């Protein structure tokens, strides 16, 4: 028994589209709140981790060689540059 109503045709098209998306791995494009929060968290870690790593390494080098804050300041700035560049690349990626 076949239903030829317009609603049945729309339902078949929606089912076919859903099956095709599942086979190709596409999504509807809807992103929920937790996914947005996760992306914001990753962005924060991307920005903060390199400067902190640079600062820790710089403090260790300054302590080891007695250079004041030369390495700390330099590596902190390099870390901010690396973190900013990394965040920029992450945000311009299609998943963002």
């Amino acid at each position: 028994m076949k239903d030829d109503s317009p609603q049945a045709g729309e339902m078949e098209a929606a089912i076919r589209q859903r099956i095709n998306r599942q086979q190709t791995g596409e999504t509807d494009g809807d992103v929920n709140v937790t996914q947005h929060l996760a992306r914001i968290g990753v962005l924060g870690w991307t920005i903060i981790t390199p400067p902190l790593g640079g600062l820790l390494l710089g403090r260790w080098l300054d302590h080891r060689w007695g250079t004041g804050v030369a390495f700390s300041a330099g590596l902190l700035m390099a870390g901010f540059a690396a973190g900013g560049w990394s965040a920029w690349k992450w945000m311009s990626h299609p998943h963002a």
Side-chain angles (χ1 to χ4, degrees):
M1 178 158 146
K2 184 160 173 121
D3 186 11
D4 290 332
S5 69
Q7 292 174 345
E10 291 175 13
M11 181 67 87
E12 282 184 37
I15 291 171
R16 282 194 192 106
Q17 184 180 23
R18 176 86 173 180
I19 290 171
N20 286 339
R21 284 181 176 172
Q22 285 177 347
Q23 289 173 347
T24 60
E26 294 178 15
T27 63
D28 291 332
D30 295 337
V31 179
N32 61 25
V33 173
T34 57
Q35 289 174 329
H36 281 296
L37 290 175
R39 290 178 181 173
I40 291 169
V42 168
L43 184 61
W45 281 107
T46 301
I47 294 171
I48 291 300
T49 304
L52 289 178
L55 183 62
L56 289 173
L57 179 62
R59 292 293 295 155
W60 180 76
L61 289 171
D62 286 336
H63 179 72
R64 182 175 174 121
W65 291 334
T67 54
V69 293
F71 284 108
S72 297
L75 290 176
L76 180 65
M77 291 300 124
F80 275 121
W85 177 81
S86 180
W88 181 267
K89 295 295 283 183
W90 191 84
M91 288 300 294
S92 64
H93 195 268
H95 65 73

